[in-house]
């Protein structure tokens, strides 16, 4: 631990940041079991540690009770070693990673890192602000009083976060509403979308999470006075500061605080057949038959709202099978399942007043209420409606019973649409007398919670697939698979997608994805469709989806578009072992599947770059986001050399290079020294077995050692890792004085039965002919071809296997 007395003197000399509101007067500090209590004239600050790298601060005004419940946080506070230094004018309390500095007069709370650098400081602690309109959020409704807190920023900070927006990677300079709302047909710019998360991430590798649900604003220095402001109508006056040594460490700490994503079923990583929507059983089965006929892999079919009604308007809330259109739903689901295709059904929380379930919903008292305790009824696009009150026991039970019936049909995935909620008047009230604007931003979050907890109780052996259009901080822990809403089917719509996915991955929601091909509009552009599906190979969920005026399924596109789409989908399936390992890493550490390039090279100049990104650790991907592109500038991080995935051409890291663009792929590169595990092509993940694999090693003559691990289980059982039903395949390479050794090892869970494997080892970027090759001590005769060496292997993973070669 460093000399904090010297640090204290330095702080008195060097700090020149805006101070807190002058009316707040310091009284005293009490050190508690896992934090601090700071008494001031108008209330009390309560600080508690969750770890050395996470501290929570709450302000409790005089006369108010602390709101203990957090919708986001699941981590338990922890007792950490704290070194106190108390002086007359300032007190310092330091862990190994964060120090809290309390200036006594004028009162101010500051946060520093372990090196003594300022992380951030309260510019003005929580205070009430009168006559602040929230008109961007609520139309003409104005809240007379809001609550605010302000923080100091430095001039050079780049700011990320605030949920899903299309703004560019640096979100500094915007005042952003915190009010989940769909933006139909958005393209390159959208300040308000389905996920508005009160989380700010700084280029200085810290986060501030404002742990409060009600609506409000995040002002990311819109006045250009180096300030960050959180504003809300009510609720908790609580925030957490999270720090990290690296970007991955920062996100791991945040997802430890708010929860890790459960590992989804492997079929989630396959191809979906989806549109708005399939009108009948006959149409649904015919579509899947077309996929099978064309030999295009497919793992799931998604039924939009026509499964419970023949029209878009007037049927929402029926939530039972329309037997005219789907006379044998259970039989259809079974037949599709036999073909390896899982069925996903849409649901919404709105019950129209003319729907089949309205009377039942009213009688069972499961709907939100109006001011005189009647069911809250109002009009929106789909009809006159009420909304399920998931905040009271009756509403939860009633809604889950509907899901229970659906799942007992054999359905393997649930889609929750319009969960912002799309329309929710401020006057509606929910269980425990909660106002609509207090729960608006967490309705989708708690809806996902309802389904997830129902799975845990009734279908505990299954991994849920929960597709949701809206959520909140921590929604990932309920297995939520989010998507980016009703994007326009244009090049502008495509251009915003990498940014949205990268930003949401940094905020814990690693499975953010888009409707591949775009959703809104009648734009039949095969080049756009092709490029969007090529991008889809290297983003979390492969789900083409669109309004039905233009086919989303490749089987109904032109011959050329179909052929190119098929290539993309087949590559997606061949990458299943690599991609499944990304899902496991996300489950264990919160690491995003898609990662900004500055995760690789931590340079502030790269922090606005979303045009190139990392897919996992080892792929560098540049999607084509404009029409008629034949060349593309790509920045190659200096941390490695990069090998073209398609041509094996090597490119030196640390440069921007113009590369050729081909119609059948997007620029894709692999880190030199990486192992990429791939599989034989299957038409459905039901046929996937991790016993026939391709292991691609991208030889690095300058790097002596390389190592990768790949996780595998049966792809279905909930908590397979925790139950010991898994294997981890380990591959190591060492090169020294023209001797290359590659070792195969494996680790197994206690309840895993390993099987023998056929592996085709393909060594790329190797400029030497092998003089001698030994596999498990036995000599093989194989020649390299075009800088590539292919070695067929049989491996019993219970035993280590060594491949040794002498290179000329």
């Amino acid at each position: 631990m460093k000399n904090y007395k010297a640090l204290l003197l330095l702080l008195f000399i060097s700090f020149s940041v805006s101070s807190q509101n002058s009316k707040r007067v310091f009284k005293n500090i009490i050190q508690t079991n896992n934090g601090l209590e700071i008494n001031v004239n108008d209330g009390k600050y309560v600080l508690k540690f969750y770890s050395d790298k996470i501290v929570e601060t709450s302000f409790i005004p005089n006369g108010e009770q602390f709101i203990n419940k957090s919708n986001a946080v699941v981590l338990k506070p922890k007792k950490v070693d704290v070194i106190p230094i108390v002086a007359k004018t300032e007190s310092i309390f330091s862990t190994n990673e964060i120090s809290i500095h309390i200036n006594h007069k004028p009162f101010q709370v500051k946060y520093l890192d372990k090196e003594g650098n300022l992380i951030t400081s309260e510019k003005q602690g929580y205070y009430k602000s009168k006559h602040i309109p929230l008109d961007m959020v609520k139309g003409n409704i104005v809240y007379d009083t809001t609550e605010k807190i302000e923080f100091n920023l430095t001039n050079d900070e780049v700011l990320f976060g605030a949920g899903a927006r299309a703004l560019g990677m640096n979100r500094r300079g915007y005042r952003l509403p915190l009010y989940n709302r769909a933006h139909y047909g958005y393209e390159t710019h959208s300040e308000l979308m389905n996920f508005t998360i009160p989380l700010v991430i700084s280029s200085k590798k810290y986060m501030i999470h404002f742990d409060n649900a009600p609506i409000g604003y995040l002002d990311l220095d819109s006045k250009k006075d180096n300030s960050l402001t959180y504003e809300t109508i009510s609720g908790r006056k609580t925030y957490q500061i999270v720090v990290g040594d690296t970007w991955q460490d920062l996100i791991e700490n945040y997802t430890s605080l708010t929860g890790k994503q459960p590992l989804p079923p492997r079929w989630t990583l396959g191809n979906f057949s989806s549109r708005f929507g399939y009108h009948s059983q006959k149409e649904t089965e015919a579509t899947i038959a077309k996929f099978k006929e064309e030999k295009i892999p497919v793992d799931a079919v998604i039924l939009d709202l026509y499964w419970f009604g023949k029209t878009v308007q007037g049927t929402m809330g029926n939530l039972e099978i329309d037997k005219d259109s789907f006379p044998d739903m259970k039989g259809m689901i079974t037949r599709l399942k036999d073909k390896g295709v899982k069925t996903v059904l849409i649901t919404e929380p709105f019950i129209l007043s003319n729907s089949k379930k309205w009377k039942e919903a009213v009688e069972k008292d499961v709907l939100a209420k109006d001011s005189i305790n009647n069911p809250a009824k109002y009009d929106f696009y789909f009809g006159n409606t009420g909304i399920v009150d998931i905040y009271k026991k009756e509403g939860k039970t009633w809604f889950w019973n509907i899901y229970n019936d659906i799942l007992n049909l054999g359905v393997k995935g649930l889609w929750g649409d319009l969960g912002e909620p799309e329309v929710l008047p401020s006057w509606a009230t929910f269980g425990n007398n909660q106002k609509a604007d207090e729960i608006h931003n967490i309705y989708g979050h708690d809806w996902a919670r309802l389904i997830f907890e129902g799975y845990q109780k009734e279908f505990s052996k299954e991994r849920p697939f929960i597709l949701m259009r809206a959520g909140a901080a921590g929604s990932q822990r309920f297995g939520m698979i989010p998507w980016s809403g009703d994007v326009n089917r244009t090049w502008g719509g495509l251009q915003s997608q990498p940014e949205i996915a990268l930003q949401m991955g940094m905020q814990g929601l690693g499975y953010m994805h888009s409707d591949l091909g775009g959703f809104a509009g009648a734009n039949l552009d095969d080049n756009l469709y092709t490029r969007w599906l090529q991008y889809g190979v290297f983003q979390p969920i492969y789900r083409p989806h669109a309004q039905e005026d233009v086919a989303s399924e490749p089987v109904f596109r032109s011959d050329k578009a179909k052929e190119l789409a098929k290539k993309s989908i087949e590559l997606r399936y061949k990458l299943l072992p690599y991609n499944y390992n990304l899902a496991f890493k996300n489950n264990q550490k919160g690491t995003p599947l898609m990662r900004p390039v500055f995760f690789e090279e931590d340079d502030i100049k790269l922090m606005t770059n979303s045009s190139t990104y990392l897919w996992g650790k080892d792929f560098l991907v540049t999607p084509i986001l404009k029409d008629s592109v034949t060349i593309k500038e790509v920045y190659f991080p200096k941390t490695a050399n990069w090998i073209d995935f398609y041509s094996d051409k090597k490119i030196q890291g640390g440069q921007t290079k113009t590369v050729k663009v081909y119609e059948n792929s997007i620029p894709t590169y692999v880190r030199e020294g990486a192992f990429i595990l791939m599989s034989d092509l299957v038409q459905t993940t039901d046929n996937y077995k991790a016993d026939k694999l391709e292991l691609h090693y991208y030889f690095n003559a300058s790097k002596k050692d390389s190592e990768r691990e790949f996780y595998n289980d049966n792809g279905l059982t909930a908590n397979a890792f925790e139950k010991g039903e898994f294997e981890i395949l380990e591959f190591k390479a060492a090169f020294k004085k023209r001797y290359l050794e590659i070792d195969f090892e494996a680790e197994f869970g206690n309840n895993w039965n390993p099987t023998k494997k056929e592996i085709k080892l393909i060594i790329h970027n190797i400029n030497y002919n092998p003089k001698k090759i030994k596999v498990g001590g036995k000599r093989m005769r194989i020649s390299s071809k075009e800088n590539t060496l292919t070695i067929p292997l049989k491996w019993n993973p219970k035993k280590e296997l060594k491949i040794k070669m002498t290179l000329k």
Side-chain angles (χ1 to χ4, degrees), residues 423-577:
V423 178
L424 183 60
S426 293
W427 48 260
T429 60
F430 291 78
N432 297 324
N433 202 32
Q434 297 178 92
K435 297 176 182 177
D437 287 347
E438 292 173 336
I439 60 89
H440 180 96
N441 287 342
I442 57 167
Y443 189 94
H445 173 86
D446 288 323
W447 185 12
R449 181 205 301 265
L450 183 157
I451 297 172
F452 181 71
E453 291 177 351
Y455 259 95
Q456 288 182 315
K457 183 178 179 181
E458 303 288 343
F459 302 90
S460 60
K461 293 181 180 180
E462 290 191 33
R463 303 180 195 177
F465 175 84
I466 305 171
L467 184 67
M468 285 274 177
R469 198 174 79 171
S475 290
Q476 69 276 356
R477 69 178 181 268
F478 304 129
M480 182 185 284
I481 305 292
W483 90 97
S484 60
D486 294 339
V487 60
N488 218 18
R489 196 184 293 130
T490 58
W491 290 99
L494 173 57
Q495 285 160 26
S496 60
Q497 296 312 306
E499 173 206 340
I500 293 169
L502 290 167
Q503 289 270 359
M504 290 294 278
M506 292 174 69
Q507 297 172 74
L509 287 146
Y511 288 87
M512 173 57 77
H513 66 288
S514 63
D515 291 343
L516 298 182
F519 178 79
N523 180 11
L524 180 62
D525 183 334
D526 277 346
N527 191 28
L528 170 66
Y529 179 78
T530 296
R531 292 304 191 193
W532 212 318
L533 267 63
Q534 289 170 347
Y535 157 66
V537 175
F538 303 99
Q539 55 102 62
I541 302 294
Y542 202 93
R543 189 182 57 85
H545 182 72
Q547 291 174 329
E548 60 187 338
D549 44 5
V550 174
S552 59
E553 307 93 338
V555 292
F556 299 123
R557 300 299 288 241
S558 69
D559 288 345
K560 184 176 181 181
K562 178 168 60 179
E563 179 187 354
L564 291 171
K566 184 177 182 180
K567 286 181 181 294
S568 295
I569 294 167
E570 288 178 342
L571 176 56
R572 176 76 174 189
Y573 274 76
K574 285 180 68 65
L575 284 169
L576 275 170

Side-chain angles (χ1 to χ4, degrees), residues 64-326:
E64 292 189 17
Q65 294 293 316
F66 177 56
I67 303 171
N68 192 46
K69 181 185 176 184
S70 168
N71 294 287
V73 171
V74 292
L75 192 64
K76 300 299 181 186
K78 176 183 175 184
K79 181 175 173 57
V80 299
D81 292 332
V82 176
I83 296 180
I85 299 176
V86 179
K88 186 175 182 180
T89 59
E90 186 171 16
S91 299
I92 302 173
F93 296 84
S94 302
T95 74
N96 287 324
E97 301 290 339
I98 300 177
S99 59
I100 319 297
H101 293 237
I102 299 100
N103 195 65
H104 298 173
K105 187 176 181 180
F107 179 74
Q108 187 178 32
V109 181
K110 297 172 283 195
Y111 304 88
L112 282 77
D113 66 17
K114 61 185 176 183
E115 304 300 330
N117 302 308
L118 180 67
I119 299 169
T120 189
S121 59
E122 288 190 3
K123 187 173 189 175
Q124 189 161 346
Y126 278 100
Y127 65 99
K128 291 186 183 297
S129 175
K130 291 187 177 181
H131 306 298
I132 302 296
L134 294 179
D135 53 352
M136 284 181 66
V137 171
K138 296 299 297 173
N140 296 321
I141 294 176
V142 174
Y143 285 86
D144 290 336
T145 303
T146 59
E147 297 169 352
K148 287 184 175 182
I149 184 170
E150 299 177 30
F151 288 84
N152 289 293
L153 298 169
T154 55
N155 285 322
D156 58 347
E157 280 182 81
V158 176
L159 300 180
F160 312 99
R165 323 267 180 166
L167 302 171
M169 286 295 283
N170 186 3
R171 295 177 170 183
R172 188 166 181 166
Y174 288 96
R175 183 171 183 255
L176 298 171
L178 294 170
Y179 187 85
N180 291 354
R181 188 170 68 189
H183 183 169
Y184 178 82
Y186 72 90
E187 294 187 322
T188 58
H189 187 87
S190 181
E191 296 186 20
L192 185 58
M193 293 174 64
N194 311 71
F195 289 81
T196 62
I197 297 176
L199 175 69
V200 180
I201 307 170
S202 168
S203 55
K204 292 164 63 177
K205 294 192 191 68
Y206 72 85
M207 296 180 177
I208 306 180
H209 172 236
F210 299 97
D211 192 1
N212 190 42
I215 67 172
Y217 277 92
L218 266 181
D219 191 321
L220 306 178
D221 198 27
S222 68
K223 297 176 183 176
K224 302 191 184 307
D225 60 353
N226 290 335
S227 65
L228 163 67
T229 305
Y230 171 69
E231 180 178 3
T232 184
I233 60 169
S234 63
R236 305 184 86 213
K237 299 167 184 63
T238 296
Y239 63 87
Q240 293 96 24
I241 302 285
V242 184
V243 301
D245 297 324
T246 65
W247 287 107
Q248 288 88 339
D249 180 48
L250 179 65
I251 294 170
E252 182 176 3
N253 294 334
Y254 171 71
T255 53
S256 293
L257 179 72
T258 60
K260 296 291 195 296
Q261 178 103 20
L263 186 62
R266 190 176 355 247
W267 64 262
T268 298
L269 301 174
N271 177 36
F272 288 72
S273 178
S274 181
R275 76 162 82 137
F276 178 31
Y278 300 111
H279 291 260
S280 67
Q281 177 178 321
K282 182 179 179 182
E283 184 181 26
T284 305
E285 294 197 80
T287 300
I288 295 302
K290 191 70 173 170
F291 273 92
K292 297 299 181 181
E293 177 187 333
E294 299 282 356
K295 290 185 169 53
I296 296 178
V298 62
D299 255 273
V301 62
I302 298 182
L303 301 187
D304 213 311
L305 49 76
Y306 296 117
W307 74 268
F308 53 70
K310 293 180 177 61
T311 59
V312 172
Q313 293 173 307
T315 62
M316 187 174 289
N318 287 346
L319 294 177
E320 59 185 59
I321 300 159
D322 178 2
K323 293 188 177 179
D324 286 342
S325 301
F326 293 86

Side-chain angles (χ1 to χ4, degrees), residues 119 156 173 203 341 375 387 409 442 673 721 759 782:
I119 299 169
D156 58 347
S203 55
V341 178
I387 187 169
L409 292 170
I442 57 167
F721 179 71
I759 297 182
I782 297 173

